[in-house]
Amino acid sequence: MSAKVASQTDIDGMRQAGRLAANVLDMIGQYVKPGVTTEQLDRICHRYIVNEIDCIPAPLNYRNSPEAPPFPRSICTSVNQVVCHGIPSPKKTLKNGDILNIDVTVIKEGYHGDTSKMFLLGKPSVLAERLVRVTQECLYLGIAAVRPDATLGDIGHAIETHARANRFSVVHEFGGHGIGKIFHDEPQVLHFGRPGTGTKIEQGMTFTVEPMLNAGRRHVRILPDKWTVVTKDHKLSAQWEHTILVTETGAEVLTLRAEEALALPQRAVGTGS
Ligand code: MF3
Ligand code: CO
Ligand code: CO
């Protein structure tokens, strides 16, 4: 998987994990309302992941570096100027106008499904709404660039071009990743780049595309908790993520939700079979 080519068993496992991760995002939507805390959203997702769909929440106790403590919650909740890896907290109450990313990764029978979406609370600013929309368009354009013999640079270029055309910046420090039995595997999938450069894309690869766009400058800072990534200039940031499988002709979106089935080119929506 990931950089390697998936077997039919791997593909079946990844389809199942992807579908279940998408189900978590579908389930949590009804609870995302002003007044709820991000900790409450984490508890609801944790219970659903463990008890309803019989999965493991991959973020819980996950370590990405020897210096950082293990991640203490089951999902990431990133509000407004938080770029990614926000830690759910009883002190973070959502309010009208906030934009929130919920990032879910589940493990089912050893396979990972990783996906995130943005939620708008009440009526955010016109700028916030546009940032959220353009970031989702960047995700879809990145996925549309996926096909055997294209390169990872083609994905990055598609994303960066659309972000720049809308005068948003692309975060450089974090990218998509190979995924399968391992959460974060090779290759790294940058959200910027030059066409025709980087790793060649091959049928059977499984990786994520997860662009982070900022309303201001691209630079980020990590808070003293060693996890929370924020914009240096405190301006808004948005992110959307899917896990995809490279098919003979393009990409199959393993974490697709019913609400977005019409937004992607048809070849990305099918079961690939
Ligand atoms: N789900 C994130 C990603 O898309 C990674 C979160 S790691 C955590 O790669 F430990 F912060 F949860
Ligand atoms: Co990811
Ligand atoms: Co994720």
Side-chain angles (χ1 to χ4, degrees):
M1 276 160 296
S2 59
K4 287 143 249 128
V5 170
S7 68
Q8 189 57 49
T9 307
D10 292 334
I11 291 172
D12 292 345
M14 288 300 286
R15 280 191 181 135
Q16 178 170 238
R19 180 173 47 78
L20 293 170
N23 288 351
V24 181
L25 290 180
D26 280 334
M27 177 281 302
I28 198 63
Q30 64 192 298
Y31 301 101
V32 180
K33 296 237 171 69
V36 76
T37 68
T38 53
E39 152 104 353
Q40 288 172 319
L41 297 175
D42 174 75
R43 288 299 85 199
I44 296 165
C45 286
H46 178 90
R47 275 194 292 265
Y48 181 83
I49 290 167
V50 171
N51 300 327
E52 303 292 326
I53 61 175
D54 198 19
C55 291
I56 297 166
L60 187 60
N61 297 318
Y62 183 75
R63 305 192 85 110
N64 67 349
S65 77
E67 310 93 69
F71 193 81
R73 296 285 183 263
S74 297
I75 59 171
C76 297
T77 51
S78 303
V79 182
N80 296 338
Q81 77 282 4
V82 179
V83 174
C84 62
H85 303 169
I87 302 173
S89 162
K91 289 183 278 188
K92 188 65 195 175
T93 302
L94 297 175
K95 60 181 193 305
N96 182 38
D98 283 344
I99 59 171
L100 163 72
N101 175 277
I102 297 183
D103 192 338
V104 169
T105 311
V106 302
I107 310 172
K108 182 69 168 181
E109 292 168 12
Y111 294 96
H112 291 73
D114 187 7
T115 186
S116 80
K117 69 172 274 190
M118 296 298 298
F119 294 88
L120 306 174
L121 284 109
K123 192 88 190 112
S125 67
V126 169
L127 172 71
E129 278 194 20
R130 196 169 67 82
L131 175 67
V132 167
R133 174 178 54 78
V134 169
T135 306
Q136 188 178 30
E137 290 166 356
C138 282
L139 170 63
Y140 293 155
L141 288 166
I143 292 171
V146 174
R147 55 175 172 74
D149 291 334
T151 70
L152 294 182
D154 296 333
I155 300 175
H157 180 73
I159 291 168
E160 185 179 25
T161 301
H162 190 58
R164 283 185 182 215
N166 286 278
R167 289 200 240 92
F168 293 133
S169 63
V170 174
V171 172
H172 283 199
E173 289 81 356
F174 300 89
H177 47 93
I179 185 167
K181 288 182 176 157
I182 295 172
F183 189 174
H184 293 112
D185 205 350
E186 298 293 307
Q188 196 184 24
V189 181
L190 298 176
H191 302 120
F192 57 95
R194 295 203 319 278
T197 64
T199 303
K200 193 163 104 168
I201 297 170
E202 287 175 63
Q203 185 178 351
M205 288 170 81
T206 50
F207 56 83
T208 73
V209 182
E210 49 182 299
M212 284 145 270
L213 267 61
N214 296 347
R217 291 172 59 83
R218 70 169 177 82
H219 303 93
V220 301
R221 199 161 67 75
I222 298 184
L223 296 187
D225 65 25
K226 303 249 175 74
W227 277 105
T228 311
V229 181
V230 298
T231 56
K232 257 192 185 159
D233 61 13
H234 303 116
K235 294 192 178 169
L236 294 174
S237 187
Q239 178 178 31
W240 294 79
E241 174 176 26
H242 274 311
T243 298
I244 65 111
L245 165 72
V246 182
T247 64
E248 201 179 337
T249 51
E252 177 182 333
V253 180
L254 301 176
T255 47
L256 195 72
R257 301 179 306 284
E259 66 183 3
E260 60 183 339
L262 293 173
L264 278 153
Q266 207 50 42
R267 66 181 174 78
V269 176
T271 61
S273 53

